[in-house]
Amino acid sequence: VPLFIRYESLARVMEWLDGQAIDLPVETVPLAEAAGRVLAEDARALAEYPPFDHARADGYAVRGLDTAGASGYGPVPLVLRDEAVAGATDSRLLEAGTAVRVDAGARLPEGADAVIPLAFADEVAGVVELSEAVAPGENVALRGEDFREGEILLTAGRRLSARDLALLAAAGFGAVGVRRRPRVRILILGAGLAASGGERGPGEVFEASAAMLSALASRDGGLPEAPRRVPRASADLVEALRERGADLVLAAGGSGEGADDLAAAAVAEAGRLAFHGIALEPARSAGVGRVDETLVFILPGDPAACFCGYEALAAPVLRRWSGDGAETSGREARGVLVRKIVSSLGAVDFCPLRRVPGGFKPVPPGLAGLAAADGFLLVPEDSEGYPAGSEVAMVLFEP
Amino acid sequence: VPLFIRYESLARVMEWLDGQAIDLPVETVPLAEAAGRVLAEDARALAEYPPFDHARADGYAVRGLDTAGASGYGPVPLVLRDEAVAGATDSRLLEAGTAVRVDAGARLPEGADAVIPLAFADEVAGVVELSEAVAPGENVALRGEDFREGEILLTAGRRLSARDLALLAAAGFGAVGVRRRPRVRILILGAGLAASGGERGPGEVFEASAAMLSALASRDGGLPEAPRRVPRASADLVEALRERGADLVLAAGGSGEGADDLAAAAVAEAGRLAFHGIALEPARSAGVGRVDETLVFILPGDPAACFCGYEALAAPVLRRWSGDGAETSGREARGVLVRKIVSSLGAVDFCPLRRVPGGFKPVPPGLAGLAAADGFLLVPEDSEGYPAGSEVAMVLFEP
């Protein structure tokens, strides 16, 4: 295993990652499963909406002009017509001087252009007495007033909200084409790991990265496989890297320069190791490479360092692919440091921050500190940190 | 079907909803499935972390004081001991003047208190020559320095992040007790609805609320059942309301005063109808009630009005139960209206807004406008609206 001669700059690694294209084919999913997915193509209405003029209120369909002058003191009588005038299969004409009972949402008969709500109408022996006038168009929704057939409703790249699903359903979509979610394979390397919740031998630690990486991949729009432990043998790792079905591999552990550190060599054997050893503290042993169509991230085995490597290297890539657009858009919070940050020169420092009264505060290193943090700041290589009182932008962990 | 004599104020309805307690029992889920769930009880570390002093870097475990004065010009030689001194099952003593090869994460032998990284050590014939000195504690993680056994790591009510999962795993948790997600039943009432994506007869509209309500319930931490269409007969609705297994029912459609509007009567028959008819525009026909342990929301059939009813009435309740704490915390954006809002007196107006350059703009009514909106504003009953330039707080639709 070669020693790290020099650490590649994070900027150079991100530049390489930006150049890695991944083809995510379109898949068609039922609307019921489409929330949060990213629309693959512009959605044009398959049908207009509303599909016909209809009542917005329960009441009586009328010709608005017939109601002129109606009031509580001078009710206007209209001849009540049979309900069959309105309804699903019929569009018979509503003649002048007549009214027909309609429920909200029901189709208006031809000729009707307004609805008198129930509260302003009394039925008496085949006549409806109106105690209020309505103008044409009142309490009525017109055919196509929301959108027309063929109109572009939503554009490609949009993450579908609950409201979008209603819009698409009303426009006739039962299913919709969305980008495939990037499939994420999680490989846990390294010896001395006990399954959390089980027994732990002397010299063993509980494995703590698998559930975390899976949750992070889901958070960023990926579709994680169940994490796998990879035995020590390099051949097993090479095989897991070459196996089809993943767009992205997160390999945690075995990233260093030690005797058991097989990750980089296995990536080089299976495909291409682009960089190993990155000037990113505390994830210096991270690396990136490519095996066929799959982009591989080598991450440190220490869970806190693994998190740093994921957030700094993999999260922006996964979010871009999963269609989030900008990597940090809407995920930044500006604030003032209430304590100084000290950073060493020569490497980007991943600095977790916590919101506190008055601003942001760096947290102590380790998992407990990380859990208490709300986001992070990357301190550039050529910066020795920031004094208390500096205004900084924190990238939030949770969207 | 009785006519709405008066509309209950939204404030009074929310007050009633606030008083409705629901018991959500604790359920235990594996860590791998716990992301986003809400911790039911304080989590105390089952084990300390790290579980032993270990190396933070690949290199040689040493006694720091033995390395004093080492430099590239004056390397310090230490006797190389067998690797079995370190490692999983052994904790033999590292004697003064000796060193042992360790990988990052490996347990330190007794007596060792620092690690020299590989880059500053050369092995020559049983001797390690160190070209840099390390102080005691350098490149070493001490047992329990992150957290101690029994320490409270996370408190009840916390929504578990990916980082939290790493913390819990390291502390020995294989599974964790979380609050059950509120189970949400979605009932679609009303005639004249065609399944979207299928054929639509004359006078029919595509059903557009089911997928939307399901996505909204998921967004707010609920666990939605597959939406069901309920036939016109009131008895079927009463049965669906009484069926066990839901904490909350969303019944869309059949909410008005028309002949087919069975929702309110069915709730009254199955349990208790608390309010029907709410001074909330455009969801005046909404209502709330209770059937045994289940809270029932009657929502309008029109999808845009249904959305309004859900957001104004059900979303705050569901978010509170699902453990989000404050209903709108972190979901508000302040900004300036670039156009005036006109609102009628006597009802709260649900006003969807869109972010535009310079501030917020009301969107046109309907599904297309709603999809384009980013959040909403509730204009109070006694307000006629706001002039352009007013600063307002918008509740964001997406967290």
Side-chain angles (χ1 to χ4, degrees):
Chain A
V1 179
L3 300 194
F4 294 124
I5 301 305
R6 62 183 282 272
Y7 293 92
E8 193 57 61
S9 78
L10 180 60
R12 176 76 192 89
V13 175
M14 295 316 289
E15 191 188 337
W16 182 83
L17 286 170
D18 285 347
Q20 300 299 306
I22 294 283
D23 185 38
L24 293 175
V26 178
E27 61 185 22
T28 300
V29 298
L31 278 195
E33 298 164 21
R37 301 298 299 273
V38 174
L39 199 60
E41 292 170 359
D42 292 354
R44 285 178 184 275
L46 303 174
E48 66 192 342
Y49 183 80
F52 41 74
D53 297 352
H54 72 256
R56 282 197 191 279
D58 298 318
Y60 295 87
V62 296
R63 293 174 178 244
L65 295 178
D66 285 352
T67 70
S71 74
Y73 300 102
V76 167
L78 295 177
V79 175
L80 182 64
R81 300 300 301 267
D82 190 82
E83 295 209 16
V85 171
T89 55
D90 203 297
S91 59
R92 277 167 52 193
L93 188 73
L94 182 87
E95 289 153 24
T98 68
V100 64
R101 178 75 178 79
V102 287
D103 282 352
R107 186 175 191 170
L108 292 188
E110 293 290 325
D113 59 16
V115 170
I116 295 269
L118 289 180
F120 302 112
D122 279 309
E123 274 190 37
V124 185
V127 167
V128 192
E129 299 208 322
L130 311 181
S131 57
E132 193 164 278
V134 284
E138 214 164 325
N139 299 317
V140 158
L142 295 178
R143 170 178 174 173
E145 75 172 22
D146 202 329
F147 53 82
R148 303 269 172 194
E149 185 178 334
E151 195 176 312
I152 293 181
L153 299 176
L154 301 167
T155 53
R158 180 177 177 91
R159 190 173 294 282
L160 294 171
S161 72
R163 291 160 288 129
D164 296 341
L165 301 188
L167 180 64
L168 291 169
F173 289 86
V176 69
V178 296
R179 279 190 226 153
R180 187 178 74 197
R181 271 182 291 196
R183 301 162 304 178
V184 180
R185 181 166 299 153
I186 297 167
L187 305 175
I188 305 296
L189 285 58
L193 297 177
S196 194
E199 290 299 308
R200 183 176 63 180
E204 289 188 334
V205 294
F206 289 123
E207 194 288 308
S209 297
M212 173 186 80
L213 287 174
S214 184
L216 289 170
S218 295
R219 181 199 70 179
D220 292 329
L223 189 66
E225 293 178 355
R228 312 183 200 172
R229 289 288 300 276
V230 177
R232 283 158 166 256
S234 174
D236 296 320
L237 180 53
V238 169
E239 192 181 332
L241 290 169
R242 283 192 173 146
E243 187 186 315
R244 297 273 163 179
D247 300 301
L248 192 149
V249 169
L250 306 173
S255 61
E257 309 164 301
D260 290 337
D261 287 328
L262 303 169
V267 173
E269 186 184 335
R272 179 186 167 209
L273 179 66
F275 301 106
H276 183 217
I278 301 176
L280 170 65
E281 198 58 49
R284 284 180 176 272
S285 67
V288 293
R290 185 148 191 158
V291 177
D292 300 323
E293 297 304 304
T294 306
L295 200 55
V296 182
F297 292 82
I298 297 170
L299 301 172
D302 174 77
C306 180
F307 179 81
C308 156
Y310 177 88
E311 286 290 87
L313 300 169
V317 174
L318 188 50
R319 284 186 208 149
R320 194 172 65 238
W321 291 350
S322 69
D324 232 4
E327 294 88 73
T328 56
S329 80
R331 303 181 72 143
E332 282 199 350
R334 297 196 72 82
V336 167
L337 290 175
V338 301
R339 291 235 185 119
K340 69 175 174 184
I341 293 177
V342 179
S343 171
S344 53
L345 291 171
V348 169
D349 262 348
F350 178 87
C351 180
L353 300 175
R354 176 181 172 80
R355 287 179 203 268
V356 293
F360 304 154
K361 187 173 140 181
V363 300
L367 289 174
L370 205 51
D374 296 299
F376 69 95
L377 179 66
L378 293 177
V379 184
E381 293 189 34
D382 58 0
S383 166
E384 294 187 271
Y386 306 104
S390 309
E391 195 187 324
V392 296
M394 158 162 72
V395 180
L396 298 170
F397 291 137
E398 306 301 322
Chain B
V1 179
L3 300 193
F4 294 125
I5 302 305
R6 61 182 283 271
Y7 293 93
E8 193 57 62
S9 78
L10 181 60
R12 177 73 193 93
V13 175
M14 296 315 291
E15 190 189 338
W16 182 83
L17 286 169
D18 285 349
Q20 300 300 306
I22 294 286
D23 185 38
L24 292 176
V26 178
E27 60 184 23
T28 301
V29 298
L31 277 195
E33 298 164 20
R37 300 299 298 272
V38 174
L39 200 60
E41 289 170 359
D42 293 354
R44 286 178 184 275
L46 304 173
E48 66 192 342
Y49 183 80
F52 42 74
D53 298 352
H54 72 255
R56 280 197 191 279
D58 299 318
Y60 295 87
V62 297
R63 293 173 177 246
L65 295 177
D66 285 352
T67 71
S71 74
Y73 300 101
V76 166
L78 295 178
V79 175
L80 182 64
R81 299 299 303 267
D82 191 83
E83 296 209 15
V85 171
T89 55
D90 201 300
S91 61
R92 277 166 50 195
L93 189 72
L94 184 88
E95 290 154 21
T98 70
V100 65
R101 179 73 180 78
V102 287
D103 282 352
R107 186 175 192 167
L108 292 187
E110 293 289 326
D113 59 15
V115 170
I116 294 269
L118 289 180
F120 303 111
D122 279 309
E123 275 190 37
V124 185
V127 167
V128 192
E129 300 209 319
L130 311 181
S131 57
E132 191 163 278
V134 283
E138 215 163 325
N139 299 317
V140 157
L142 295 178
R143 173 178 173 172
E145 74 173 21
D146 201 329
F147 53 82
R148 305 266 172 198
E149 187 177 333
E151 194 175 312
I152 292 181
L153 300 175
L154 300 168
T155 51
R158 181 176 176 91
R159 188 173 294 282
L160 294 171
S161 71
R163 292 158 287 128
D164 295 340
L165 301 187
L167 180 66
L168 291 169
F173 289 86
V176 70
V178 296
R179 278 191 228 153
R180 186 177 75 196
R181 272 182 291 195
R183 300 161 304 176
V184 180
R185 181 166 300 154
I186 297 166
L187 305 176
I188 305 296
L189 285 59
L193 296 176
S196 194
E199 290 298 309
R200 183 175 62 179
E204 288 189 333
V205 294
F206 289 123
E207 194 289 306
S209 296
M212 174 186 80
L213 287 173
S214 183
L216 289 170
S218 295
R219 181 198 70 181
D220 292 329
L223 189 66
E225 294 179 354
R228 313 183 200 171
R229 289 289 299 277
V230 176
R232 282 157 166 256
S234 176
D236 296 320
L237 179 54
V238 170
E239 192 180 332
L241 290 168
R242 284 191 173 144
E243 188 186 315
R244 297 271 164 182
D247 300 300
L248 192 148
V249 169
L250 306 173
S255 60
E257 309 163 299
D260 290 338
D261 287 327
L262 304 169
V267 172
E269 185 183 335
R272 179 186 167 212
L273 179 67
F275 301 106
H276 184 216
I278 302 177
L280 170 65
E281 198 57 50
R284 284 181 175 270
S285 67
V288 293
R290 185 148 191 159
V291 177
D292 300 322
E293 296 305 303
T294 306
L295 200 56
V296 181
F297 292 82
I298 297 171
L299 301 173
D302 173 75
C306 179
F307 179 82
C308 157
Y310 177 88
E311 287 290 87
L313 299 169
V317 175
L318 188 49
R319 285 187 207 145
R320 191 173 68 239
W321 290 350
S322 70
D324 233 5
E327 294 89 72
T328 56
S329 80
R331 301 179 76 142
E332 282 199 349
R334 296 196 72 80
V336 167
L337 289 176
V338 301
R339 293 234 185 120
K340 69 175 174 185
I341 293 177
V342 178
S343 171
S344 52
L345 290 171
V348 169
D349 261 348
F350 178 86
C351 180
L353 300 175
R354 175 182 173 80
R355 287 181 203 265
V356 293
F360 304 153
K361 187 173 140 182
V363 300
L367 289 174
L370 205 51
D374 296 299
F376 68 95
L377 178 66
L378 293 178
V379 183
E381 292 189 35
D382 58 359
S383 166
E384 296 187 87
Y386 307 104
S390 309
E391 195 186 323
V392 297
M394 159 162 72
V395 181
L396 298 171
F397 291 136
E398 307 300 323

